[in-house]
């Protein structure tokens, strides 16, 4: 079992000693694979385990009364999918694989025990939860108060940064993991609007596209178009915008 991406993620914002790392690596876990479209957990479930995404990309979403889907979060390698299960009686959202995913399942009781035994781990996981809350606030602002062009540009910027840190790749060039329909379910516009804005950004020289590969040609202009600053992602303790 390798928790390296998870540990690296926590160490970006928290101090973890060798003993803390050893304790995390001692956690018992069961591995499982998810095919694209498969569910890790469903709304209303009462899981006894907490899932870590080891590889792949997943999305959290809610289904509203009309049957429509709102994607409320993205998960990348090294992130916990359902940390809520540790302290709440049930899960109030769905988690679904966007790509082929590998998960490790930890027993909730054991993970809670580790948090209290090792305060540094507990603080790190608490900080990680706060960062996810910050991402949710940015998504809420993007959904409610920005136009279509700004919404799409913002999402491309966030995906570029989060993918580069999760996959340890160069910033600005990435494979877009989402369909236009999935993007529309994040930002609240039609797939037609998404397609139009992507073409506009390409025409304006901010990005280049080759099938699902996105190349950011002018990061400064794209970040400006998307009203994007990476500070809320807390990529490092010393300089949250490092590498951007």
């Amino acid at each position: 079992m390798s928790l390296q991406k998870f540990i690296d993620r926590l160490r970006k914002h928290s101090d973890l000693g060798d003993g803390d790392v050893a304790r995390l690596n001692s956690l018992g876990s069961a591995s499982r694979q998810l095919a694209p479209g498969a569910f890790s957990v469903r709304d209303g479930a009462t899981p006894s385990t907490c899932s870590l995404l080891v590889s792949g990309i997943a999305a959290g979403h809610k289904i509203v009364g009309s049957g429509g889907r709102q994607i409320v979060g993205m998960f990348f390698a090294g992130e916990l999918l359902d940390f809520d299960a540790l302290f709440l009686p049930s899960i109030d959202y769905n988690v679904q694989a966007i790509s082929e995913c590998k998960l490790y399942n930890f027993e909730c009781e054991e993970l809670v025990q580790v948090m209290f035994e090792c305060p540094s781990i507990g603080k790190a996981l608490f900080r990680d939860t706060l960062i996810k809350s910050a991402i949710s606030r940015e998504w809420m602002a993007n959904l409610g108060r920005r136009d279509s062009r700004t919404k799409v540009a913002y999402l491309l910027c966030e995906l570029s940064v989060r993918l580069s840190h999760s996959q340890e790749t160069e910033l600005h060039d990435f494979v877009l993991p989402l369909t236009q329909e999935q993007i529309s379910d994040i930002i609240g516009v039609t797939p037609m609007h998404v397609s139009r804005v992507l073409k506009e950004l390409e025409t304006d020289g901010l990005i280049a596209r080759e099938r699902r590969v996105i190349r950011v040609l002018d990061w400064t202009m794209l970040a400006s178009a998307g009203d994007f600053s990476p500070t809320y992602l807390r990529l490092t303790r010393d300089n949250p915008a490092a590498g951007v």
Side-chain angles (χ1 to χ4, degrees):
M1 179 181 73
S2 175
L3 302 183
Q4 196 56 53
K5 286 190 176 181
F6 179 48
I7 292 166
D8 289 345
R9 173 180 171 80
L10 296 180
R11 278 183 154 171
K12 286 175 182 176
H13 55 68
S14 299
D15 289 314
L16 292 179
D18 292 342
D20 298 315
V21 172
R23 186 64 182 94
L24 286 172
N25 281 318
S26 73
L27 285 168
S29 70
S31 174
R32 62 176 172 140
Q33 300 286 143
L34 290 183
F39 285 81
S40 167
V41 67
R42 290 183 181 269
D43 190 351
T46 56
S48 61
T49 60
C50 178
S51 298
L52 172 69
L53 185 59
V54 180
S55 63
I57 299 171
H61 63 79
K62 297 280 291 185
I63 303 297
V64 299
S66 64
R69 177 181 66 177
Q70 179 67 46
I71 295 178
V72 296
M74 295 288 296
F75 300 97
F76 300 93
E79 298 183 9
L80 292 169
L81 300 182
D82 44 15
F83 187 72
D84 316 50
L86 272 66
F87 299 104
L88 296 177
S90 63
I91 299 296
D92 63 358
Y93 55 92
N94 304 290
V95 178
Q96 193 170 16
I98 297 294
S99 66
E100 190 81 25
C101 291
K102 180 178 181 180
L103 311 180
Y104 287 152
N105 285 354
F106 303 117
E107 291 295 329
C108 290
E109 290 185 4
E110 185 181 10
L111 193 51
V112 170
Q113 181 181 354
V114 168
M115 291 175 65
F116 285 98
E117 283 179 357
C118 307
S120 294
I121 295 175
K123 290 177 183 177
L125 291 175
F126 182 62
R127 286 193 186 98
D128 210 49
T129 301
L130 294 178
I131 291 168
K132 289 178 180 177
S133 295
I135 293 172
S136 294
R137 288 191 291 272
E138 289 291 331
W139 278 38
M140 190 180 300
N142 196 49
L143 180 64
R145 290 297 177 181
R146 291 173 178 148
D147 60 28
S148 298
R149 178 184 173 92
T150 310
K151 287 178 177 181
V152 173
Y154 162 85
L155 184 61
L156 292 179
C157 288
E158 183 180 289
L159 288 173
S160 175
V161 173
R162 293 180 69 186
L163 281 168
S164 69
H165 281 262
S166 170
Q167 299 175 354
E168 298 179 352
T169 58
E170 291 295 322
L171 186 64
H172 306 332
D173 293 350
F174 62 98
V175 176
L176 184 63
L178 302 167
T179 65
Q180 291 182 8
E181 181 180 0
Q182 289 166 337
I183 292 175
S184 74
D185 286 345
I186 293 174
I187 63 177
V189 303
T190 66
M192 185 181 300
H193 270 81
V194 174
S195 178
R196 176 178 59 79
V197 171
L198 287 171
K199 289 178 182 176
E200 285 180 3
L201 295 173
E202 190 170 22
T203 299
D204 293 345
L206 276 63
I207 65 171
R209 294 186 295 162
E210 185 176 349
R211 296 188 179 181
R212 298 186 71 172
V213 175
I214 300 288
R215 291 181 57 227
V216 179
L217 303 178
D218 191 329
W219 174 261
T220 300
M221 289 300 295
L222 185 65
S224 177
D227 190 24
F228 178 80
S229 169
T231 304
Y232 68 99
L233 296 172
R234 307 293 175 184
L235 302 175
T236 70
R237 281 170 284 173
D238 298 326
N239 180 10
V244 177

